């Protein structure tokens, strides 16, 4: 299993070592968006580099998370659990949330 916390730090350190941006958050969001667009384009055009483009998206998300001081591994685990507790029904042909996750107090 991949240790996302460790990988997040490695990605950040690579950015530092190679002189990439680690301070302009707007730029990082734009670059991440660009990587998502590249992945979509690879999928749409049935290019062979889709998996590499998806890896780029993950790398940018992990790097951005480290810059912002967010433990993405923990946040993903919490969100996966939250999503698993929601309930949905098909209403008028649309999968609609009918019960929201309620955190324990």
């Amino acid at each position: 299993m991949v240790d996302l916390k460790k990988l997040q730090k490695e990605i950040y350190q690579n950015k530092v070592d190679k002189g990439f941006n680690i301070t302009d958050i707007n730029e990082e969001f734009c670059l991440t968006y660009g990587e998502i667009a590249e992945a979509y384009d690879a999928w749409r055009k049935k290019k062979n580099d889709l998996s590499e483009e998806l890896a780029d998206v993950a790398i940018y998300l992990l790097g951005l998370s480290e810059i912002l001081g967010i433990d993405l591994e923990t946040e993903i685990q919490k969100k996966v659990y939250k999503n698993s507790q929601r309930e949905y029904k098909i209403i008028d042909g649309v999968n609609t949330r009918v019960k929201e996750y309620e955190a324990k107090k």
Side-chain angles (χ1 to χ4, degrees):
M1 188 112 159
V2 174
D3 181 344
L4 287 184
K5 291 176 190 178
K6 181 180 176 197
L7 190 57
Q8 190 170 308
K9 292 186 182 315
E10 288 176 19
I11 289 166
Y12 177 83
Q13 190 58 53
N14 185 63
K15 290 174 82 61
V16 170
D17 293 346
K18 303 286 169 62
F20 289 107
N21 173 58
I22 56 167
T23 58
D24 186 339
I25 303 305
N26 287 319
E27 180 180 350
E28 286 302 296
F29 271 107
C30 288
L31 292 170
T32 303
Y33 179 81
E35 292 299 334
I36 292 170
E38 288 179 14
Y40 172 70
D41 189 61
W43 173 79
R44 189 173 58 85
K45 295 179 179 175
K46 298 181 180 12
K47 293 181 178 179
N48 292 331
D49 64 343
L50 174 57
S51 58
E52 185 174 332
E53 295 300 343
L54 288 172
D56 284 342
V57 171
I59 288 167
Y60 270 89
L61 281 175
L62 288 164
L64 181 58
S65 296
E66 186 66 18
I67 291 168
L68 294 170
I70 295 169
D71 177 352
L72 192 57
E73 180 177 328
T74 298
E75 293 305 318
I76 289 170
Q77 290 170 341
K78 288 183 343 189
K79 186 64 176 188
V80 167
Y81 178 76
K82 183 177 182 176
N83 287 346
S84 75
Q85 300 304 302
R86 291 175 169 166
E87 292 181 18
Y88 294 84
K89 285 186 181 177
I90 303 295
I91 300 173
D92 296 327
V94 177
N95 200 16
T96 306
R97 186 182 321 150
V98 294
K99 183 180 177 195
E100 180 59 69
Y101 164 77
E102 295 179 26
K104 296 179 183 177
K105 295 178 183 179

